[in-house]
Amino acid sequence: MSQPIVEVTGLSKCYRLGAIGTTSLREEFARLRDRFRGAPHPKKEEFWALNDVSFSIQPGEVLGVIGRNGAGKSTLLKILSRITEPTRGSVRLRGRVASLLEVGTGFHPELTGRENVFLNGAILGMTRAEVRRKFDEIVAFAEVDQFIDTPVKRYSSGMYVRLAFAVAAHLEPEILIVDEVLAVGDSAFQQKCLERIDVISRREHRTVLLVSHNLNAVLQLCTQAIYLADGRLVGAGEPAEIVRNYFGAKSQSADLIDLSVRPRSARERGKARLTGVRMASDSGGLAWQIPWGNPIALEFVIEVTERLQRLELGLGLFNLQGFEIATSLSTWNQPIGPLEPGTYRIQARYPVLHLVTGTYRIGVGLRSERNMEDHLSEACEIEIVPSPASQRQQISSLRGAMAAMIDTTITRLER
Amino acid sequence: MSTAPREIVIQSTRGFRFVDWRELYAYRDLLSLLVWRDFATRYKQTILGPLWHIFQPLLTTIIFTVVFSQIAELPTDGLPPTLFYLCGLLAWNYFAQTFNSTSSTLIANAGLFGKVYFPRLIVPLSSVISNVVSFLIQLVSFFVILFIYHASHPLSTALPRWSALVLLPLVLAQLAAFSLGIGLWLAALTTKFRDFTVLSGFLIQLWMYLTPIIMPLAKVPPHWHVFVALNPVTMPVECFRYLLLGTGWINVPLLLASIATTLVTLVSGVMIFQRVEKTFIDTV
């Protein structure tokens, strides 16, 4: 194995709580006075944003960094991009680093797009000659050719972000540090950003360190991943495995939604009650996120307190505007029952619906041969997230509720 | 562009360090672009544009002439008051403007510095240079006014010492070095104590009265000269008058003391700035 291009050893960063924000001269004098008198000065509380983190990246790898807010991801990036120094430990970087912590840094609103490209390029570490060489490519990528000599303060926010990302995406560092830039722009542009990062890593063989909340981006792009929690490194390895660990840790209790505590109207009899719902594993997603193209599969836990001859499960799939996209009744396929009192698990699996990406609500009802037993209009929310398949087909830019796969044939009728 | 990748080690630095010249050189394009940006953006959406460089000292000169010369009747070293003040302000404005922009470097650019790494010294250096450009514009306007004056007063002796004028860049360099040094000190201190942001605006106002801008140094009693020696801006101002108007009070020991103070301020200013710059983003 060759020498790692990034080597992080025992990296720690301590913030003194209370030292965040500045002291005034008066406080400082008070501290000096206390010190001279030998009075104990109240010790400031310490907070370790990073604690003994070590990992390394080989040249050409794409490393994903995941972890919840406050896990230390941003601190790690700030140290790696040399914005602040660690308290302990060290980082060795064997190559030129460029970081995209936020696009558009240093853009000046009064300057034109062209001027800002040069200025921003220089801020990010490019020479003027380099920017000149890449200029046409940058402008084409940002799709702002017509407006390149207009001050950027007249740009739409979309154009602004596109231009800013375009400059950053055409840096030629050996190591590229990317943070959350995938959250900008419309979905088509986001896809373009992902592809650009893919090109940077795969074709140009550059090393990328990617911090993102978009776990699908991590799965799609990264060759390695690390998982931070409370400033410590808790996992490192294959992205798929690390993402699974992340959700394992996150959702052990959260995965099963407790439905027994939800308020119900008095109309339902409640001889059969919904007590929980979870997402079945064959949706292939992670905690209520289902990659586009995978089936929606749910598992309900119900409690039956009285013998029921027949039970019917009804599902409604609503979009966020409250429109019911699909209605389903379990009796269409096979009736359930008779049921003795006890706890049961019902699995319900939709066919692949090809819904456009977004958030959906699921309403559930239970009906026995005699009456409505239980009903929850919002049992759970699911999110259909982009997948490689949806990105290929640009699903997120579609209108309508779903993508319907059609067969087409064409026959020439007359010459 | 990229030379063989050199290894960068990031770890906690102890003590002080001086300038990484090699890195500074690698960012030379950024330096020139920032100087250019200062110019391109300062007078956007103004009617007079760069003419402001000329109007500012001119208006101040008129007010000084009325208040200090006509009303208070302070002497001006035998020089026409207008030329006397204009020449003093030429030096003073350079100092004050450079001091102002360098001392706010870290606070004003915290947003940028919190996102991207580049040698932080580039930003104060760019204001030192862009202020040189506005100095040159003012210098040209000074000569224009000087010749207009001579056209109407052919017998005046207020003339530049042409042969010694080559020394003007050296005097300007000292002024630049001192304003950068003291500006970096203030920049470093403001990150820790915001008191200094208030202080630096106030300081520069008071400082002018400690500098022979509105009255000649020759007027100051000799037993106060120790205070003059403590103010490194005094000698450059007097040198300016000597070089541009032929009258000035230059004392070689004081001049050397002023140069020594300048060097100490610059070196210590760069070192304290470099030290603070490493982690200031955590506390700003």
Side-chain angles (χ1 to χ4, degrees):
Chain A
M1 202 180 256
S2 62
Q3 211 180 16
I5 190 162
V6 178
E7 226 178 321
V8 176
T9 352
L11 203 66
S12 306
K13 175 80 183 176
C14 173
Y15 289 101
R16 274 185 309 162
L17 298 179
I20 297 171
T22 46
T23 53
S24 76
L25 271 178
R26 204 174 57 181
E27 287 170 47
E28 203 70 6
F29 281 133
R31 222 173 64 174
L32 271 178
R33 193 189 56 212
D34 287 353
R35 199 186 287 170
F36 279 124
R37 286 181 184 163
H41 189 76
K43 206 171 168 8
K44 290 194 168 135
E45 212 179 321
E46 290 185 340
F47 168 70
W48 289 88
L50 276 184
N51 205 335
D52 199 20
V53 170
S54 304
F55 62 91
S56 59
I57 313 177
Q58 295 295 324
E61 272 184 350
V62 183
L63 181 84
V65 181
I66 58 176
R68 253 162 285 178
N69 288 334
K73 303 186 302 276
S74 310
T75 308
L76 177 66
L77 291 201
K78 278 193 171 163
I79 294 173
L80 286 176
S81 45
R82 301 173 70 194
I83 284 158
T84 187
E85 277 193 343
T87 313
R88 282 207 292 268
S90 67
V91 180
R92 272 165 202 284
L93 302 169
R94 299 191 177 91
R96 196 164 79 134
V97 184
S99 59
L100 300 184
L101 293 203
E102 197 175 86
V103 293
T105 337
F107 263 37
H108 196 292
E110 297 283 354
L111 298 178
T112 67
R114 182 189 303 275
E115 292 164 341
N116 267 311
V117 167
F118 278 90
L119 183 63
N120 197 233
I123 287 174
L124 294 172
M126 281 194 260
T127 63
R128 230 178 310 183
E130 263 180 290
V131 180
R132 206 169 295 131
R133 206 172 57 234
K134 296 235 156 192
F135 188 80
D136 292 339
E137 221 178 304
I138 291 171
V139 176
F141 186 89
E143 302 162 19
V144 292
D145 334 30
Q146 285 169 275
F147 309 100
I148 196 64
D149 289 311
T150 310
V152 294
K153 67 177 173 185
R154 309 213 195 288
Y155 277 29
S156 73
S157 55
M159 283 156 63
Y160 188 94
V161 162
R162 287 205 303 271
L163 185 63
F165 183 83
V167 178
H170 289 82
L171 288 168
E172 288 186 333
E174 281 90 17
I175 306 159
L176 181 68
I177 297 174
V178 187
D179 184 19
E180 292 300 338
V181 280
L182 306 176
V184 301
D186 56 27
S187 45
F189 188 71
Q190 274 179 31
Q191 182 51 31
K192 209 166 156 182
C193 298
L194 287 177
E195 279 162 12
R196 177 67 202 164
I197 291 171
D198 207 43
V199 167
I200 290 171
S201 62
R202 234 163 277 220
R203 230 166 296 155
E204 298 174 8
H205 298 290
R206 297 178 197 282
T207 309
V208 180
L209 198 131
L210 172 76
V211 169
S212 178
H213 284 129
N214 182 344
L215 290 166
N216 283 294
V218 172
L219 288 173
Q220 197 184 331
L221 296 171
C222 296
T223 55
Q224 290 287 308
I226 60 170
Y227 171 19
L228 293 177
D230 300 324
R232 289 172 186 282
L233 186 79
V234 291
E238 290 282 307
E241 187 193 324
I242 298 298
V243 168
R244 231 181 350 259
N245 283 351
Y246 175 67
F247 276 109
K250 187 178 172 181
S251 57
Q252 249 150 23
S253 58
D255 196 8
L256 183 80
I257 297 178
D258 187 358
L259 297 177
S260 60
V261 293
R262 300 277 182 89
R264 271 100 164 165
S265 70
R267 275 179 299 141
E268 286 90 34
R269 257 178 23 124
K271 298 301 171 198
R273 274 175 73 90
L274 293 153
T275 59
V277 60
R278 70 149 52 95
M279 220 176 66
S281 56
D282 53 348
S283 285
L286 315 145
W288 308 104
Q289 290 191 332
I290 301 170
W292 188 88
N294 285 14
I296 302 167
L298 301 165
E299 282 178 17
F300 295 95
V301 181
I302 61 163
E303 231 172 72
V304 180
T305 49
E306 189 177 286
R307 188 174 192 281
L308 300 171
Q309 192 57 42
R310 198 167 57 87
L311 190 70
E312 185 179 45
L313 176 82
L315 292 178
L317 180 70
F318 300 85
N319 67 11
L320 279 184
Q321 288 78 43
F323 177 76
E324 185 160 3
I325 290 168
T327 312
S328 321
L329 291 174
S330 63
T331 36
W332 293 341
N333 269 349
Q334 58 207 106
I336 307 170
L339 293 176
E340 297 299 325
T343 308
Y344 296 86
R345 183 174 68 199
I346 306 177
Q347 292 193 326
R349 194 170 186 278
Y350 280 90
V352 177
L353 290 177
H354 298 298
L355 294 170
V356 295
T357 52
T359 306
Y360 296 88
R361 292 205 182 101
I362 298 211
V364 197
L366 291 176
R367 178 194 286 276
S368 66
E369 73 279 13
R370 300 168 55 176
N371 214 328
M372 196 69 186
E373 299 292 344
D374 199 5
H375 175 253
L376 286 169
S377 59
E378 284 180 21
C380 59
E381 262 186 12
I382 56 168
E383 198 187 344
I384 308 290
V385 294
S387 66
S390 74
Q391 275 150 359
R392 253 195 324 276
Q393 292 154 19
Q394 305 222 326
I395 295 308
S396 45
S397 56
L398 291 185
R399 283 167 297 165
M402 60 175 72
M405 304 298 158
I406 52 170
D407 288 324
T408 41
T409 53
I410 181 162
T411 317
R412 184 171 219 164
L413 294 180
E414 50 183 304
R415 190 173 277 275
Chain B
M1 170 278 330
S2 204
T3 47
R6 70 168 164 148
E7 192 173 298
I8 300 165
V9 180
I10 303 168
Q11 57 192 356
S12 178
T13 43
R14 299 251 172 264
F16 294 89
R17 60 198 184 100
F18 203 60
V19 183
D20 185 345
W21 297 106
R22 188 174 153 175
E23 192 181 41
L24 221 49
Y25 181 72
Y27 278 88
R28 61 194 180 280
D29 278 351
L30 177 60
L31 180 64
S32 55
L33 279 165
L34 285 178
V35 171
W36 164 82
R37 183 195 68 176
D38 260 13
F39 259 82
T41 58
R42 190 177 297 168
Y43 297 108
K44 286 254 166 150
Q45 289 199 358
T46 62
I47 297 170
L48 294 176
L51 284 180
W52 276 113
H53 287 296
I54 301 170
F55 282 115
Q56 256 168 321
L58 228 50
L59 288 172
T60 321
T61 301
I62 291 169
I63 289 168
F64 280 10
T65 310
V66 172
V67 175
F68 296 115
S69 176
Q70 305 290 318
I71 299 175
E73 296 186 348
L74 286 171
T76 52
D77 229 359
L79 290 167
T82 313
L83 292 179
F84 177 85
Y85 296 133
L86 198 59
C87 180
L89 284 171
L90 195 58
W92 179 256
N93 278 347
Y94 179 79
F95 171 70
Q97 277 164 12
T98 310
F99 173 81
N100 272 339
S101 46
T102 50
S103 65
S104 59
T105 299
L106 291 178
I107 303 287
N109 292 289
L112 180 57
F113 289 169
K115 300 285 181 231
V116 194
Y117 173 81
F118 53 84
R120 303 327 191 192
L121 262 183
I122 293 279
V123 176
L125 279 177
S126 77
S127 34
V128 167
I129 296 172
S130 76
N131 283 325
V132 168
V133 181
S134 64
F135 170 83
L136 290 176
I137 297 175
Q138 290 178 20
L139 187 67
V140 169
S141 75
F142 173 82
F143 276 115
V144 171
I145 290 166
L146 186 68
F147 285 117
I148 294 172
Y149 181 81
H150 276 279
S152 53
H153 302 78
L155 297 177
S156 169
T157 53
L159 276 171
R161 292 183 188 256
W162 295 109
S163 54
L165 215 52
V166 289
L167 294 174
L168 196 71
L170 288 181
V171 183
L172 183 65
Q174 191 205 332
L175 208 52
F178 183 70
S179 39
L180 177 64
I182 195 82
L184 291 178
W185 262 102
L186 262 296
L189 288 170
T190 41
T191 61
K192 198 146 169 55
F193 309 108
R194 288 299 163 91
D195 308 68
F196 283 98
T197 35
V198 187
L199 182 71
S200 61
F202 182 53
L203 186 72
I204 204 78
Q205 282 182 353
L206 292 186
W207 202 324
M208 196 181 81
Y209 293 97
L210 296 173
T211 312
I213 305 297
I214 53 173
M215 83 176 97
L217 188 58
K219 189 73 187 151
V220 178
H223 55 277
W224 281 7
H225 277 180
V226 60
F227 294 106
V228 174
L230 287 175
N231 177 3
V233 191
T234 302
M235 272 301 131
V237 169
E238 286 295 317
C239 290
F240 262 67
R241 288 220 180 95
Y242 182 79
L243 294 174
L244 291 174
L245 294 171
T247 318
W249 192 86
I250 296 172
N251 173 311
V252 174
L254 282 189
L255 184 61
L256 292 177
S258 151
I259 291 172
T261 320
T262 299
L263 287 177
V264 171
T265 314
L266 179 64
V267 171
S268 60
V270 170
M271 291 207 299
I272 190 96
F273 180 83
Q274 300 261 33
R275 185 181 168 87
V276 165
E277 164 251 295
K278 299 304 290 180
T279 53
F280 89 101
I281 211 76
D282 299 340
T283 50
V284 160

